[in-house]
Amino acid sequence: MKTITFDQIKTSSIALEFDELIPDEIYSWTEADFAKYQVPIGNSRFPITDFFKITVEGEANGPEEVEMILNGDLNRVKYIGCKMSAGNILCNSSVDLHVGAEMSGGSILVKGDAAAHAGREMSGGYLEIEGNTKEFTGASYIGEWRGMTGGQIVVGGNAGKQCGECLTGGRIHVKGNCDILAGIHMTKGIIEIDGDVNRWPGGQMKNGNIIIHGFLGRLLEGFVLDGIVVDPEVDGVTFPGKYIKYTGDIGLNGKGNLYLGAEANKEKLAEYGELDDEYTSIREYRNL
């Protein structure tokens, strides 16, 4: 096993780009190799050793035997783990844009928050962010139609808007709350949200599953009430509890499933005459 430790010396006002510094590329590097490397910053390059003291310990026969440890303030370091296929990266700080973007394997742990586009277009591997993420987690990138296709993203805090946009596979688990349009344009995969959702999850979804345990502010018109389900099994995973199930988005002949935690939304639904105390009278849950 090889451990490569980056201890920050100073920060940069312009973000450092770490897409070349992934286990796939540096598993054979020595400290002398890092001393010669220049990191992209904007349209220029500067010695990486101006910003980090780099310590290399152990040997690796491939990227799967590498662990990168990044210490310091990483808020101006972007593309960490971008396109990695193996190995482990530990970020002991919040990070900038595109952490885990297009990764196909390996694991990344961020002990803080992540900026936008975390895990965008990833096809495999495991990305965990202990804090919050901004918009477009696990989503497609500008001009693209396909977002995350595989792997797993876990967000310990809250997620910003359009989490899982264009999701075509894999699983996203948000343990906090989620902003608007989670799962917009999704065609496959699972988005699970433990907390509350602002409004409009699953817009224009064609397939896939969204499970919301918390309170939902508004549901789009394109979802049709299916009924009450208990302990639903979704792609081999059982979600304990009672859920109100909807399908949609019917505007696109969608066959996606939205499971809304019944207990968390019972009071609001009853207030609008959507649901009685025994769940025996349910009508459509529209924009309330």
Side-chain angles (χ1 to χ4, degrees):
M1 190 70 182
K2 186 173 194 173
T3 303
I4 304 173
T5 305
F6 294 72
D7 290 306
Q8 193 172 56
I9 299 170
K10 67 177 181 180
T11 59
S12 171
S13 58
I14 303 174
L16 281 66
E17 300 178 15
F18 261 43
D19 50 315
E20 297 171 347
L21 296 171
I22 56 175
D24 303 72
E25 301 294 335
I26 65 173
Y27 70 88
S28 63
W29 284 23
T30 64
E31 291 180 8
D33 293 318
F34 284 105
K36 295 182 289 185
Y37 176 74
Q38 294 191 330
V39 62
I41 304 176
N43 59 2
S44 302
R45 284 180 174 264
F46 295 88
I48 186 69
T49 51
D50 287 354
F51 301 93
F52 291 92
K53 179 181 183 298
I54 302 170
T55 305
V56 177
E57 298 175 293
E59 299 291 335
N61 294 316
E64 67 279 356
E65 298 178 6
V66 172
E67 180 178 30
M68 293 172 57
I69 301 174
L70 280 60
N71 298 319
D73 181 358
L74 308 174
N75 280 288
R76 300 303 290 150
V77 181
K78 61 183 180 180
Y79 295 112
I80 295 172
C82 179
K83 297 186 178 181
M84 69 182 284
S85 69
N88 301 299
I89 299 178
L90 170 61
C91 303
N92 286 311
S93 162
S94 296
V95 298
D96 206 345
L97 299 162
H98 304 291
V99 61
E102 299 182 76
M103 69 183 291
S104 59
S107 67
I108 302 174
L109 173 60
V110 177
K111 300 184 77 64
D113 301 330
H117 300 291
R120 66 163 174 85
E121 301 174 294
M122 67 183 285
S123 60
Y126 178 81
L127 170 62
E128 181 176 355
I129 297 146
E130 291 188 346
N132 305 316
T133 62
K134 291 188 178 179
E135 58 268 26
F136 307 120
T137 300
S140 66
Y141 196 46
I142 299 168
E144 298 293 334
W145 61 271
R146 183 169 59 186
M148 179 181 176
T149 60
Q152 184 175 3
I153 298 175
V154 176
V155 180
N158 303 321
K161 66 182 181 181
Q162 293 181 233
C163 175
E165 179 255 359
C166 289
L167 188 77
T168 59
R171 182 175 178 183
I172 300 175
H173 184 186
V174 178
K175 296 184 177 181
N177 303 322
C178 204
D179 205 345
I180 64 171
L181 296 171
I184 184 174
H185 304 304
M186 72 182 287
T187 58
K188 196 176 179 181
I190 298 175
I191 300 176
E192 180 182 8
I193 303 164
D194 290 354
D196 301 333
V197 175
N198 190 337
R199 57 191 184 275
W200 307 325
Q204 298 186 325
M205 72 184 294
K206 293 181 179 178
N207 216 320
N209 298 276
I210 302 176
I211 298 95
I212 300 172
H213 301 291
F215 178 79
L216 174 60
R218 288 190 176 184
L219 181 65
L220 285 165
E221 295 285 343
F223 282 85
V224 177
L225 179 66
D226 195 330
I228 291 289
V229 294
V230 179
D231 300 339
E233 183 177 317
V234 179
D235 289 350
V237 180
T238 299
F239 294 90
K242 186 179 292 185
Y243 296 86
I244 308 166
K245 181 182 177 183
Y246 299 89
T247 59
D249 187 331
I250 60 172
L252 281 75
N253 296 316
K255 297 177 174 62
N257 299 309
L258 173 64
Y259 297 89
L260 180 61
E263 292 297 327
N265 294 275
K266 185 174 181 179
E267 183 177 344
K268 180 172 182 177
L269 292 171
E271 178 184 348
Y272 285 88
E274 302 285 337
L275 184 69
D276 67 17
D277 290 341
E278 301 300 325
Y279 303 100
T280 57
S281 175
I282 311 172
R283 294 189 295 107
E284 300 296 334
Y285 179 29
R286 300 299 187 181
N287 283 322
L288 305 179

